[in-house]
Amino acid sequence: MATSQNINKKYPKNIGIIMDGNGRWALKNALNISQGHKKGVSVVKNIVEESVKQGIQSLTLYAFSSENWKRPKAEINAIKSLVIEAINEQVPELKEKKVKLKFFGHISDFGKKIQDKISFAENETFSKDSKLDLNVALGYGGQQDILDMVIKVSKQVSQGKIKLEDLNEESINEFLSVPVNEIDLLIRTGGDKRISNFLLYQIAYAEIMFIDKFWPDFTQEDFAQCIDNFKNVSRRFGKRI
Ligand code: IPE
Ligand code: IPE
Ligand code: MG
């Protein structure tokens, strides 16, 4: 019988991760930055595997922020190459596992080659009954996304396509680029306690866990522990319960 205690023991449906610490991990291991990012990509594979195992609905990963364009060109190029490499290597397995890939953010800033690769990956893994939705933020910034939304909404209102009365907390999601409306659990590795412009609108009621490990050191067990910890949290959503 469900008791008030185990009513709260729910799985997080939608998880977001700020995968931070690749650079410091590389430094710690006397490797170069791109080797840190490469190791970071291999961790994604394990976390996706665990998410499928645990029946998580969506996993939304911060791969490259709009502010990461301020990094050295060589590092940006290494990340671009890794995106292509990761798609080439992982799409067949993702497809087999029914993991649906979706990229969001200002993808066009990455050039045609990556855009084409991403379209390919999204088409290949598209499924109406996916086991896991894997959303990857690329060239994404939460503030920019809200600004883009305001511009889109304003245009549609001025063209008479939508009415101001139609706008509410739910309906504006349609104009945001993020494929998921609500994050239940947000994890940030790397030890810093900040959001760094990730899903600003969608984390309104997320439980936030800051993990004191670099992303390349984050294991399936660490992830499973975060999910377990989430189950013990009482989510009140402002109510008196
Ligand atoms: C996160 O790791 C990956 C990206 C931002 C692309 P970092 O590269 O930020 O690693 P640290 O924070 O410098 O250690
Ligand atoms: C956040 O990490 C972005 C990603 C993980 C992709 P950053 O390393 O860019 O964040 P800051 O600069 O420490 O805030
Ligand atoms: Mg960082």
Side-chain angles (χ1 to χ4, degrees):
M1 201 179 79
T3 65
S4 60
Q5 221 188 353
N6 67 23
I7 277 169
N8 287 326
K9 294 210 170 205
K10 281 192 184 153
Y11 269 89
K13 270 199 229 156
N14 303 305
I15 302 181
I17 309 185
I18 301 172
M19 311 181 291
D20 196 28
N22 293 349
R24 281 164 288 165
W25 180 89
L27 209 66
K28 186 184 82 176
N29 290 285
L31 297 167
N32 62 44
I33 300 274
S34 60
Q35 286 168 303
H37 290 311
K38 198 175 167 71
K39 177 74 176 150
V41 173
S42 71
V43 171
V44 170
K45 206 175 138 115
N46 300 336
I47 301 309
V48 166
E49 208 169 275
E50 186 66 23
S51 300
V52 172
K53 205 167 100 192
Q54 299 232 17
I56 303 301
Q57 217 167 72
S58 80
L59 183 64
T60 304
L61 305 176
Y62 206 7
F64 193 93
S65 75
S66 41
E67 287 71 34
N68 289 149
W69 286 112
K70 295 173 190 156
R71 292 196 178 191
K73 217 171 160 101
E75 181 177 355
I76 294 173
N77 285 337
I79 293 172
K80 282 183 178 176
S81 303
L82 274 172
V83 170
I84 293 182
E85 219 176 275
I87 289 177
N88 286 341
E89 277 172 16
Q90 297 193 23
V91 157
E93 202 177 318
L94 293 175
K95 189 177 176 177
E96 194 196 301
K97 287 192 172 135
K98 285 204 170 176
V99 176
K100 185 171 92 180
L101 252 181
K102 181 87 193 143
F103 288 81
F104 65 99
H106 287 188
I107 314 277
S108 56
D109 295 345
F110 286 82
K112 185 159 163 38
K113 198 172 162 197
I114 292 201
Q115 272 179 280
D116 288 350
K117 246 318 154 207
I118 285 174
S119 303
F120 161 80
E122 290 179 345
N123 288 334
E124 273 292 291
T125 59
F126 181 78
S127 161
K128 278 191 177 144
D129 59 342
S130 56
K131 285 231 174 77
L132 172 75
D133 291 345
L134 178 59
N135 308 315
V136 182
L138 208 56
Y140 169 87
Q143 289 184 330
Q144 291 82 340
D145 207 32
I146 290 171
L147 175 64
D148 290 346
M149 177 270 287
V150 170
I151 293 170
K152 279 185 221 158
V153 166
S154 305
K155 277 189 185 153
Q156 297 225 359
V157 169
S158 68
Q159 290 165 359
K161 289 184 181 155
I162 52 168
K163 297 195 201 83
L164 279 179
E165 305 85 83
D166 297 333
L167 298 175
N168 56 53
E169 292 90 332
E170 189 61 34
S171 69
I172 62 167
N173 279 303
E174 194 191 317
F175 300 94
L176 292 165
S177 75
V178 185
V180 62
N181 298 350
E182 219 168 30
I183 292 293
D184 300 306
L185 168 61
L186 178 70
I187 299 167
R188 182 182 183 130
T189 60
D192 287 313
K193 296 179 179 66
R194 57 176 173 257
I195 302 300
S196 301
N197 208 10
F198 198 32
L199 313 171
L200 300 181
Y201 191 75
Q202 297 77 9
I203 59 169
Y205 264 101
E207 299 304 322
I208 306 185
M209 296 182 191
F210 296 103
I211 309 297
D212 217 355
K213 263 189 176 189
F214 299 137
W215 175 250
D217 289 330
F218 190 65
T219 63
Q220 271 180 325
E221 291 72 31
D222 294 327
F223 184 56
Q225 187 65 57
C226 291
I227 294 171
D228 264 3
N229 292 347
F230 175 93
K231 290 185 218 160
N232 292 322
V233 169
S234 167
R235 301 184 83 199
R236 292 182 287 277
F237 299 99
K239 291 178 249 177
R240 171 84 54 215
I241 49 173

